Amino acid sequence: MPLISFIDDFRDSDVVIAELSSFQLMTAKASPVRSAVTNITENHLDWHANMREYLSAKANIYAFSECERLVTEPKAYYELRKLPRRMPSERILTQAENGVYSDGEGIYLGGEKLLDISDILVKGEHNVKNFMTAIALSYPDISRESVLKTARGFKGVPHRIEFVDKKMGISFYNSSIDSTPSRTLNTLKCFDESVTLICGGYDKNLDYSELAEYVNSRVKNLVLYGEAAEKIYSCFRSKGYAAVRIFTEELFDKAFAKAVSVTGEGETVLLSPACASFDQFKSFEERGERFSESVRAL
């Protein structure tokens, strides 16, 4: 549902919140009034010439005169400052004491505690960061009560660490949106229990080294499938990692069946592919729906 299809319904008093891809931003000639760059990690290098071009495209979200506020984290801000781009007058850094920050137990703005981390229903440190970004973008227009209501009521959306079901004593989670190694790494950090990870798909010319190191130390079984399977497996071989059991299958359905067969009662099967879906599916949604359908069919 393209945003432009709603443009005739907008009123002057409406506020539009949009997520913009680097592809859309590449040729942008204007910026939103308030903008956020949540993080900077490798992505879409099968399309962008290099990381600098990718970062430059992202920077268009704040580089034009319309933008009054930029929200980002300190590490990303350091990288963005290297670009020859205009910076908005108001800059709010998440995870910085003069911005929106967390002490591990709560989220604070200007020294005021807005909510406890335990109030947030969705899993993961990255979702704590997402809340900080949302707060920094919406302050002071959104009340503390609204922040608390959202944290205590929002259960997440499909394909993002979505609990599907528990079958044969195995918990199944669908995180098909995880189309980069960094996303899969963040998702894995949400799980303490024994995990069988389904990984693979269409390779976007990304580096899997950091993910491989974490998987080797924390994951029990790794089931690889699709176009990127051999590249990911080669990363493990080149590093000499052998703590995790690795299985490879060509097709997604066979990878799912293998994951179920090697996972025991009380353990978890997680779809977090670290790759795009385009080798066997039209979209990450279709891939996630196939996973969920397969779980329900057990």
Side-chain angles (χ1 to χ4, degrees):
M1 299 171 64
L3 179 61
I4 199 168
S5 65
F6 297 96
I7 198 164
D8 292 334
D9 300 325
F10 294 153
R11 299 165 299 179
D12 290 343
S13 58
D14 287 340
V15 175
V16 177
I17 303 171
E19 181 182 13
L20 302 173
S21 72
S22 62
F23 309 130
Q24 293 168 306
L25 290 167
M26 188 86 174
T27 56
K29 296 295 187 288
S31 299
V33 174
R34 297 179 186 177
S35 300
V37 177
T38 51
N39 58 60
I40 295 172
T41 56
E42 282 190 344
N43 201 358
H44 303 303
L45 296 186
D46 57 325
W47 195 87
H48 289 291
N50 49 46
M51 269 298 291
R52 184 171 180 82
E53 181 185 284
Y54 173 55
L55 185 56
S56 183
K58 275 198 166 190
N60 276 346
I61 202 169
Y62 65 81
F64 296 97
S65 59
E66 296 86 357
C67 186
E68 299 169 358
R69 179 185 299 179
L70 170 64
V71 176
T72 190
E73 60 180 18
K75 185 178 178 180
Y77 181 59
Y78 174 78
E79 295 298 324
L80 294 170
R81 286 186 61 187
K82 296 177 182 178
L83 298 172
R85 295 298 186 89
R86 165 197 173 271
M87 278 283 179
S89 57
E90 185 180 15
R91 297 181 287 277
I92 300 179
L93 300 186
T94 59
Q95 305 175 75
E97 287 192 9
N98 59 343
V100 180
Y101 65 94
S102 170
D103 64 357
E105 296 183 359
I107 294 178
Y108 298 79
L109 171 62
E112 178 189 359
K113 187 176 185 179
L114 297 181
L115 74 160
D116 293 315
I117 301 300
S118 59
D119 289 321
I120 299 174
L121 293 184
V122 287
K123 277 177 171 276
E125 182 184 347
H126 63 293
N127 279 315
V128 175
K129 294 177 181 177
N130 287 338
F131 264 88
M132 288 193 283
T133 299
I135 289 166
L137 277 172
S138 58
Y139 171 81
D141 304 305
I142 302 298
S143 68
R144 181 176 184 271
E145 290 70 27
S146 292
V147 172
L148 281 171
K149 183 179 178 181
T150 301
R152 291 168 178 169
F154 180 61
K155 298 179 181 179
V157 292
H159 314 298
R160 293 160 174 84
I161 323 182
E162 175 192 9
F163 175 69
V164 179
D165 207 342
K166 190 169 186 175
K167 294 284 189 78
M168 302 177 298
I170 301 170
S171 297
F172 292 86
Y173 284 86
N174 164 21
S175 201
S176 184
I177 185 67
D178 300 339
S179 60
T180 67
S182 60
R183 282 184 172 181
T184 294
L185 186 60
N186 281 328
T187 292
L188 282 170
K189 289 178 180 178
C190 300
F191 292 86
D192 295 324
E193 62 267 35
S194 180
V195 169
T196 294
L197 174 65
I198 301 175
C199 232
Y202 172 80
D203 177 40
K204 294 192 283 187
N205 195 29
L206 305 181
D207 183 4
Y208 299 95
S209 298
E210 185 178 2
L211 175 62
E213 182 178 4
Y214 189 85
V215 166
N216 187 64
S217 64
R218 296 293 299 274
V219 170
K220 183 176 181 180
N221 305 299
L222 173 64
V223 183
L224 300 172
Y225 85 96
E227 180 184 293
E230 180 56 35
K231 180 177 178 180
I232 300 172
Y233 189 35
S234 296
C235 185
F236 279 83
R237 285 201 304 263
S238 66
K239 301 288 185 180
Y241 296 147
V244 60
R245 293 196 301 172
I246 302 177
F247 308 89
T248 60
E249 298 286 350
E250 182 180 352
L251 300 177
F252 180 85
D253 291 341
K254 289 188 175 182
F256 176 82
K258 174 61 73 173
V260 174
S261 71
V262 299
T263 305
E265 186 175 348
E267 298 179 343
T268 294
V269 171
L270 169 65
L271 171 64
S272 181
C275 301
S277 59
F278 306 128
D279 60 336
Q280 296 182 26
F281 300 96
K282 294 179 181 177
S283 65
F284 74 83
E285 291 98 337
E286 184 182 63
R287 176 172 60 190
E289 286 161 8
R290 177 73 67 82
F291 176 83
S292 298
E293 289 167 1
S294 300
V295 172
R296 288 189 283 268
L298 289 173

